[in-house]
Amino acid sequence: MLDRQPAVAHSRPAPSLRAEGITSGYGGVPVIRDVSIAVGPEEIVAVIGPNGAGKSTLLKSLIGILRVTQGRVLLGDQDVTNHPPEELARRGVGYVPQVNDIFEPLTVLENLEMGGYLLAPARIRHRVEEVGQVFPALPPMFKRRADKLSGGERKMLAIARVLMLDPKVLILDEPTANLSPKLADALLSEDVKRLAGAGKAVLLVEQRARAALQIATWTSVLVSGATRLEGPPRDLLQRADFEELFLGAAPGRSAAQQDEEENEKK
Ligand SMILES: Nc1ncnc2c1ncn2[C@@H]1O[C@H](COP(=O)(O)OP(=O)(O)O)[C@@H](O)[C@H]1O
Ligand SMILES: [Mg+2]
């Protein structure tokens, strides 16, 4: 992993999507405060942090599901703060939520077609073919109902559905949450890496801190709604106080221990 770090550790591409000091929450109560994050082509930016830190809140604020009350969200150099999610989708930001990520009563194919809802019918057919090439396991399952899929197949479909619009930016909220360690590892180290390698800007929320650090090009640690620290994963891992920062987040357990425990539950 460390070998893959760029020679200039902090050199990053121009951001495709970024948040500058955003504050947002629920019912007027801020959950995240003054959070900044950026992701550019070929990057995998991992947001890690304990349960309830505000990771999902951050993602929802970026794509217009939650109202940003301070700061701004920029797509390229354009201000898209509080623009509706459909607009963000149309402008190349794909979002795979943590739950409710597919339409269960529909077939796999119908889910993909729904994902292409902004496209002309001929284009939808074309994209179904292309997305089927990205995830070759999907076409043989086209006629299956989505609620009959395994956890891994389901997450693959959820990502594929979002790929229908060929997003520049892919936002994934805990894609490995219900997967076995083996499947989680495959999804991150193969699929997610491949998508970033193909030029997409990937913003990933993960509770499996160690697994996320292995594929991330940049990491941000969110604790209690604020960025506790950020940097290349190598820098984070080398910090003497890295474990302590995580211990502060979840008393008595290191990030590695949390990850182990997560894995044992599967
Ligand atoms: N719909 C909601 N209404 C009110 N509070 C919420 C809602 N969703 C999440 N929260 C609160 O916001 C905080 C951050 O939640 P969340 O962003 O889901 O954290 P994470 O994704 O890091 O686990 C938590 O304290 C949670 O209880
Ligand atoms: Mg969450």
Side-chain angles (χ1 to χ4, degrees):
M1 170 192 75
L2 298 182
D3 297 336
R4 292 176 192 276
Q5 290 293 330
V8 180
H10 293 271
S11 125
R12 298 184 63 191
S16 310
L17 180 72
R18 71 185 195 272
E20 293 179 346
I22 61 169
T23 294
S24 78
Y26 306 87
V29 182
V31 164
I32 58 165
R33 286 187 185 80
D34 195 22
V35 173
S36 297
I37 192 120
V39 62
E42 295 187 29
E43 283 193 302
I44 301 175
V45 173
V47 179
I48 59 175
N51 214 352
K55 302 182 298 296
S56 295
T57 301
L58 169 62
L59 298 190
K60 289 175 190 164
S61 307
L62 291 176
I63 60 142
I65 293 179
L66 281 178
R67 188 165 169 73
V68 172
T69 53
Q70 275 179 57
R72 40 181 214 159
V73 179
L74 295 142
L75 187 56
D77 55 6
Q78 304 206 306
D79 192 328
V80 293
T81 316
N82 294 322
H83 287 214
E86 300 76 27
E87 185 191 326
L88 274 289
R90 191 158 34 79
R91 292 174 65 173
V93 181
Y95 166 64
V96 181
Q98 195 171 338
V99 290
N100 299 326
D101 52 354
I102 55 172
F103 303 101
E104 290 188 340
L106 302 184
T107 66
V108 168
L109 179 58
E110 286 164 346
N111 265 276
L112 294 181
E113 290 167 346
M114 289 283 284
Y117 69 112
L118 291 167
L119 308 173
R123 179 89 185 125
I124 291 180
R125 283 193 295 276
H126 185 63
R127 281 303 294 162
V128 165
E129 263 178 45
E130 287 180 339
V131 167
Q133 284 161 14
V134 177
F135 290 113
L138 284 180
M141 298 190 284
F142 273 173
K143 289 184 178 160
R144 268 167 74 187
R145 263 175 63 126
D147 58 3
K148 298 282 191 287
L149 300 181
S150 71
E153 292 165 348
R154 182 189 170 109
K155 198 43 86 172
M156 201 190 293
L157 175 60
I159 296 172
R161 190 176 70 79
V162 163
L163 290 181
M164 281 294 291
L165 296 180
D166 199 13
K168 292 190 294 277
V169 181
L170 191 58
I171 299 180
L172 305 172
D173 195 347
E174 292 202 36
T176 70
N178 298 312
L179 305 188
S180 69
K182 202 173 151 209
L183 277 176
D185 194 50
L187 185 80
L188 294 177
S189 62
E190 291 167 26
D191 298 322
V192 172
K193 270 185 96 158
R194 185 156 36 90
L195 290 165
K200 299 203 184 298
V202 179
L203 179 59
L204 172 76
V205 157
E206 262 302 331
Q207 266 208 295
R208 294 172 196 261
R210 194 170 43 183
L213 288 172
Q214 268 163 21
I215 61 153
T217 54
W218 190 263
T219 313
S220 180
V221 182
L222 198 67
V223 179
S224 302
T227 305
R228 182 70 67 89
L229 76 162
E230 63 170 325
R234 172 159 61 176
D235 286 12
L236 289 194
L237 288 164
Q238 283 173 350
R239 279 180 64 129
D241 60 350
F242 177 72
E243 294 292 315
E244 192 185 316
L245 285 157
F246 257 95
L247 289 171
R253 294 148 77 235
S254 69
Q257 280 168 342
Q258 286 182 45
D259 219 36
E260 279 303 314
E261 287 164 24
E262 276 298 304
N263 290 346
E264 276 161 19
K265 276 190 256 165
K266 309 292 162 189

